Amino acid sequence: MTKDLEEKLAELCKEKGMRLTGPRRTILRVLSASPDHPDAEELHRRVMAVEPGINIATVYRTMNTLAEHGLIERHSFADGRARYEAGGSEHHDHFVNVETDEVVEFRCDEIEILQQKIAREHGFEIVGHRLEIYVRPLSGKAGI
Amino acid sequence: MTKDLEEKLAELCKEKGMRLTGPRRTILRVLSASPDHPDAEELHRRVMAVEPGINIATVYRTMNTLAEHGLIERHSFADGRARYEAGGSEHHDHFVNVETDEVVEFRCDEIEILQQKIAREHGFEIVGHRLEIYVRPLSGKAGI
DNA sequence: ATAATTGCAAACATTTTGCGAACGC
DNA sequence: GCGTTCGCAAAATGTTTGCAATTAT
């Protein structure tokens, strides 16, 4: 599944006319192997572990290019910096466990439908959306 | 009846032990008169129009303090910078018009209820949430 | 060949911080 | 008077960009 994703992204790059350079290939590989939502610095760290010498500016530029072509998603959570996620997976939203900072994906079609409805009622067409639900485990002891 | 929002905020400040300095008063005034969600720079611009000489660092510090004490809300939309909103109003979510950067508030109880439901299904208790729907005007002229 | 992409450093944008002076309580 | 807050300038982040060299097609 993971291996496929890298190839799929590589193919999409070619389709879009993007050149498959060494650094870009490495970035695609790292991205494909990242099930989470790393920011540029973390991504760069992982890329450097695979192939040192790649500049963080290249990471930024590549992420921007990939996002422009719709190959990845660029989130910006509350912390301010941009976080990236390899596209290809289905749309989903996020639970953020405030006690562990863990992110859990979920999907709720009914909510999506309601969004469409209320947007239309306001005279809008949806371009995209972001839903984060900050949570803590149900039964567990209260945090701090 | 409606005690001025500015007065309400001022009182809350005192309650929380925050000093009501000149600059802070001005910032509360501007904030109270801002129905939108200005960022620090815009807020500073408005503050300067009322009383020149207030530094933008003071705006940042004041917004942080107010947010820590729960008197205002600090949003961070996709554009990266922080935007502030005088609290006190009911909970709501946001449409962000991607063509104008304008923010429109909305509220949808059905969505809130679905959130509760799906969170519970995942074994979570909701602490808070954030929903932004990025939109463009429906019918008329296409953007770009 | 030639246009896209890279590394590097410098520029940029936003937000925070150290400090001594000024101020509210 | 004492602790908070201020203005200022400098630092800290996070991200983008100009340019000459390199590389994929």
Side-chain angles (χ1 to χ4, degrees), chain B:
Chain B
M1 73 128 252
T2 327
K3 186 176 310 177
D4 200 33
L5 180 53
E6 180 187 339
E7 279 318 306
K8 188 178 151 198
L9 288 175
E11 263 172 45
L12 282 170
C13 277
K14 290 207 161 182
E15 271 176 37
K16 303 279 185 177
M18 300 173 59
R19 291 188 179 169
L20 263 191
T21 65
R24 195 165 279 173
R25 243 238 127 81
T26 302
I27 290 172
L28 291 185
R29 178 163 310 144
V30 167
L31 212 48
S32 304
S34 296
D36 51 347
H37 307 69
D39 61 18
E41 201 187 339
E42 173 62 23
L43 213 39
H44 182 229
R45 203 174 295 124
R46 296 180 192 177
V47 164
M48 291 288 274
V50 175
E51 191 197 310
I54 295 178
N55 196 280
I56 196 171
T58 300
V59 172
Y60 275 110
R61 268 189 286 229
T62 303
M63 300 321 278
N64 285 345
T65 307
L66 291 176
E68 276 161 25
H69 288 89
L71 304 204
I72 65 164
E73 274 186 65
R74 180 193 196 167
H75 301 289
S76 87
F77 297 103
D79 58 16
R81 64 213 117 116
R83 289 162 170 270
Y84 307 94
E85 177 182 6
S89 64
E90 297 256 310
H91 163 75
H92 55 256
D93 294 305
H94 299 103
F95 287 119
V96 180
N97 185 330
V98 297
E99 288 181 6
T100 63
D101 261 0
E102 206 184 354
V103 173
V104 177
E105 301 174 354
F106 74 91
R107 179 179 170 72
C108 179
D109 292 324
E110 293 139 293
I111 288 181
E112 314 268 319
I113 290 167
L114 281 171
Q115 287 179 13
Q116 290 291 346
K117 182 175 155 239
I118 198 168
R120 214 174 301 120
E121 284 170 9
H122 280 76
F124 291 130
E125 168 192 8
I126 293 185
V127 174
H129 79 265
R130 176 164 78 166
L131 171 58
E132 287 145 35
I133 306 186
Y134 298 91
V135 298
R136 73 163 61 109
L138 236 184
S139 59
K141 52 289 199 68
I144 302 175

Side-chain angles (χ1 to χ4, degrees), chain A residues 19 21 24 53-55 58 61:
Chain A
R19 292 186 180 171
T21 66
R24 193 165 279 172
I54 294 178
N55 197 280
T58 299
R61 269 189 286 230

